[in-house]
Amino acid sequence: MFMPASFPKKYKIFISLFPLLCVMFTARCFGQQSATASPNRFKFKTVIIDAGHGGKDPGSHGTYSKEKNVSLSIAKKLRDAINDEMSGIKVVMTRSTDVFIELHKRTDIANDNHGNLFISIHCNSSPQRKGSSRGTLLLVYGFHRSQEQREALRENASIFIEKDYKEKYNGYGDDAAVNTIVLNAFQQKYRKQSIQFGDLVDNQFRKTNGRHSLGVKEQGVLVLAQSGMPAVLVETGFINNPSDEAYLNSTSGQNEIVRSILTALKQYRNNLEGN
Ligand SMILES: [Zn+2]
């Protein structure tokens, strides 16, 4: 490989190691889905459940119910279901009571707990007081705010990266150029995994529950943007649609929603862990 003599030494080392780094990053970042058992095999450990809105922020509302209460009720049921059926998974709630939590605090909680997946529970609403729009929608982070996400990734992922990184590369983790390559790889990986999980939930909503679905869409949602991990916002239904509102407030409707998310989560974990 051609290298001008005037290149600083550390860049020469970096350039000469570049092919090796690429291979190792690919293995590190994308090898999580490999079925090969190894001591470094990815373990899915922590789910962050974020009940949308709360306290002074009621979110949207229907004829008789508020989004903040529906989202909290579903979030708590989801927490309990994961605790009952998925041993070894830690659940962290961004709120478990009717309190107002700022968006950046929600993502701080997610990042501080090193979540492997961020699930935000919400209800959709159309502009009319009573609307005919209905069904589910899964939102994943869209790339037009990629700088924000990159900053969150740096906060959250860098400690994991740098730990192995310094062992493997003798301190090259301090090199900004190398960090950028790692961050790009993580950003792509998290986007892909967010869409994978969104698709799995969408599939359950449609096929198992027979819900009308608006699909999986990418949008610049702030609470997703700042989470340095795969993140999906679940719009569980239109609260201002009378039949969706009845479903969202019923025990059976909430249980169906929870069951679908739980099934998708089990599938997602198995895919990631290569089972
Ligand atoms: Zn909402």
Side-chain angles (χ1 to χ4, degrees):
M1 189 184 293
F2 170 74
M3 243 183 283
S6 59
F7 256 52
K9 191 168 168 244
K10 79 175 199 174
Y11 290 115
K12 280 188 190 172
I13 295 167
F14 172 62
I15 290 166
S16 61
L17 280 175
F18 187 75
L20 174 67
L21 290 173
C22 288
V23 170
M24 295 185 84
F25 289 149
T26 307
R28 164 99 182 121
C29 297
F30 298 103
Q32 294 180 356
Q33 294 173 40
S34 158
T36 313
S38 80
N40 295 326
R41 187 171 159 179
F42 176 76
K43 270 310 260 180
F44 188 89
K45 289 186 198 131
T46 306
V47 180
I48 313 295
I49 301 177
D50 174 49
H53 311 278
K56 66 183 180 185
D57 170 19
S60 52
H61 60 86
T63 306
Y64 56 87
S65 62
K66 292 175 183 160
E67 180 183 359
K68 66 172 185 175
N69 298 326
V70 172
S71 66
L72 181 60
S73 179
I74 294 171
K76 282 159 75 174
K77 285 189 165 80
L78 180 59
R79 173 197 62 194
D80 295 345
I82 294 171
N83 285 338
D84 284 349
E85 294 188 33
M86 296 184 76
S87 61
I89 300 282
K90 179 182 162 197
V91 179
V92 176
M93 304 278 284
T94 56
R95 70 178 179 102
S96 45
T97 57
D98 183 18
V99 286
F100 176 70
I101 313 247
E102 293 161 322
L103 287 183
H104 72 89
K105 293 223 172 97
R106 295 170 191 260
T107 49
D108 283 352
I109 292 167
N111 293 333
D112 289 348
N113 283 283
H114 312 307
N116 299 115
L117 180 66
F118 184 87
I119 306 173
S120 191
I121 307 288
H122 286 251
C123 304
N124 216 334
S125 174
S126 52
Q128 310 82 1
R129 213 173 70 79
K130 265 192 196 175
S132 56
S133 301
R134 65 191 172 91
T136 60
L137 171 66
L138 285 305
L139 295 178
V140 303
Y141 171 69
F143 262 113
H144 49 283
R145 297 180 87 159
S146 61
Q147 190 54 39
E148 269 174 322
Q149 193 191 33
R150 182 171 297 186
E151 281 159 15
L153 285 170
R154 184 176 288 120
E155 300 269 333
N156 190 49
S158 62
I159 56 157
F160 300 118
I161 300 161
E162 288 176 14
K163 196 174 70 181
D164 284 339
Y165 203 31
K166 288 186 172 170
E167 274 165 27
K168 287 176 183 164
Y169 308 119
N170 295 321
Y172 291 124
D174 299 329
D175 191 307
V178 178
N179 278 338
T180 299
I181 294 167
V182 177
L183 285 171
N184 280 335
F186 268 82
Q187 200 169 42
Q188 292 297 336
K189 184 184 73 163
Y190 291 161
R191 174 177 173 269
K192 200 174 133 206
Q193 291 179 344
S194 302
I195 292 170
Q196 273 174 8
F197 179 67
D199 281 339
L200 289 168
V201 177
D202 187 50
N203 203 39
Q204 288 298 318
F205 281 157
R206 282 185 296 107
K207 294 193 177 155
T208 307
N209 302 341
R211 304 282 310 277
H212 176 71
S213 169
L214 302 173
V216 181
K217 290 187 181 159
E218 290 188 70
Q219 278 188 22
V221 182
L222 196 66
V223 77
L224 303 180
Q226 293 181 339
S227 304
M229 66 199 69
V232 173
L233 190 150
V234 185
E235 298 282 15
T236 51
F238 280 77
I239 199 166
N240 71 327
N241 172 298
S243 73
D244 267 14
E245 186 180 19
Y247 181 82
L248 289 169
N249 281 278
S250 69
T251 303
S252 59
Q254 292 189 1
N255 286 343
E256 272 188 15
I257 292 165
V258 165
R259 179 67 27 201
S260 280
I261 299 172
L262 185 73
T263 303
L265 187 59
K266 288 175 181 173
Q267 292 168 338
Y268 178 76
R269 179 178 68 168
N270 287 345
N271 290 348
L272 280 185
E273 292 186 347
N275 295 325

